[in-house]
Amino acid sequence: MPVVLVLLLAGTWLLSGALVTGTEPLIVAVGRTAVCCLVLTAVAASSVSGRADLRRAAARPGTVWLLGLLGFAGYAAGTLLAIPRIGTSLTNLVVALMPCASVAVGALFFGERSGPRRAAGALLACAAAAGYAALGADAGDLDGVGLLLVAAATIAFAVYGFLYRARLPGLPPLAVLPVLLAAATCLLLPMSLPALIAHPPTPAATGGIVLLGAAVYAPAYLVQHRLILLRGPVFTAAVQLAVPFTVRLGDWALGTAPAPSAAELLLLTVCCGGIALVAMRRERVSGAPLARSWDAEGSGALPHDRRSAPHRTGFRRRDPR
């Protein structure tokens, strides 16, 4: 599942980067969101249980509008407006720092504890990303507004991950996503309407937007939200670290960027190591697997409880009389 997510997200960045070069970014944002919403709604509404879940998700309007703003409207607008300013690879690299943002957001607002390992990993990844940004990988001159837009979008999605897991854990992603995407479309449409009137997309761009929303974003969102529920927002965000490598190689293969330099590869590797520390799970102590397997057998006693519960060992103590 993580590999599938990486490939799908890399596809979204490559196709989005190609579309925003000739189309207004907000048009791409609202178009892909609306198409993805229609596709997922049609799939969810094809069954009785799916329609019931859609109604349950729509019955929480406050949560729907908040998550639609943070996770979709704000995120899409921020990242797509940043791409023309700082380039696809640099935008994607800042987004890949979402594990660090998730650790900070979780610690500050959701009571998630972050140990020294996670804090060190976050600092290491941020330092590597700053070095990569200083190189101006594919952006030429760095643009402060572009970096601010993508940074705000990254933090917004980090908050979204925790809120989604906390407020909508009992509903499947296929039922939640259409409702959230519908709210996001309503939020993005007023922002993109002037651009739609002044510079309507060409037929080729329209086809690309439909392809982006239906064939790439729809499955990517489903896999992403499934991982958030199963492994949490920090792990899901950490998986995305592999995306800048894929996007950078994709840009090179498409001829839109030169081959990665040794410095770029080194900094990306360091960034990978830092976020790996953020996502790494703490290993169990040596006695834990034994205790877990002993308890799973139905005895209800841990190994150190054997002397206090001799009847559970299978041996009977001889009566001294």
Side-chain angles (χ1 to χ4, degrees), residues 146-243:
L147 288 172
L148 183 61
L149 285 169
V150 68
T154 302
I155 294 172
F157 198 88
V159 175
Y160 165 84
F162 285 98
L163 289 177
Y164 167 70
R165 188 179 62 168
R167 298 193 179 188
L168 299 171
L171 291 171
L174 186 57
V176 173
L177 285 171
V179 180
L180 299 183
L181 289 167
T185 302
C186 294
L187 292 169
L188 286 169
L189 190 57
M191 300 168 58
S192 60
L193 196 58
L196 280 168
I197 296 173
H199 306 286
T202 64
T206 302
I209 291 172
V210 171
L211 177 65
L212 177 64
V216 186
Y217 261 100
Y221 279 147
L222 288 173
V223 175
Q224 182 185 53
H225 285 71
R226 181 66 174 165
L227 277 178
I228 289 175
L229 292 178
L230 290 176
R231 302 293 299 275
V234 175
F235 173 83
T236 305
V239 168
Q240 297 176 185
L241 178 65
V243 177

Side-chain angles (χ1 to χ4, degrees), residues 25-53:
L26 288 176
I27 295 178
V28 177
V30 70
R32 77 182 190 187
T33 304
V35 170
C36 187
C37 175
L38 291 174
V39 170
L40 293 178
T41 300
V43 175
S46 62
S47 65
V48 176
S49 61
R51 291 192 292 271
D53 287 336

Side-chain angles (χ1 to χ4, degrees), residues 201-304:
T202 64
T206 302
I209 291 172
V210 171
L211 177 65
L212 177 64
V216 186
Y217 261 100
Y221 279 147
L222 288 173
V223 175
Q224 182 185 53
H225 285 71
R226 181 66 174 165
L227 277 178
I228 289 175
L229 292 178
L230 290 176
R231 302 293 299 275
V234 175
F235 173 83
T236 305
V239 168
Q240 297 176 185
L241 178 65
V243 177
F245 290 95
T246 311
V247 171
R248 187 68 176 89
L249 293 175
D251 283 336
W252 177 34
L254 293 173
T256 57
S261 66
E264 289 174 334
L265 292 176
L266 176 61
L267 288 171
L268 283 171
T269 303
V270 174
C271 188
C272 179
I275 298 185
L277 290 174
V278 174
M280 189 183 305
R281 283 183 168 183
R282 183 180 298 178
E283 295 182 359
R284 297 175 181 175
V285 295
S286 58
L290 177 60
R292 181 70 57 85
S293 62
W294 173 267
D295 190 57
E297 291 174 359
S299 67
L302 299 178
H304 62 271

Side-chain angles (χ1 to χ4, degrees), residues 70-131:
L70 292 174
F72 298 96
Y75 178 76
T79 53
L80 288 178
L81 287 172
I83 288 176
R85 291 176 173 271
I86 62 176
T88 303
S89 294
L90 185 54
T91 300
N92 190 266
L93 184 69
V94 176
V95 172
L97 294 175
M98 199 175 295
C100 305
S102 295
V103 170
V105 167
L108 291 174
F109 304 107
F110 296 94
E112 297 275 342
R113 293 184 178 180
S114 299
R117 172 177 53 80
R118 282 194 166 189
L123 290 175
L124 182 63
C126 288

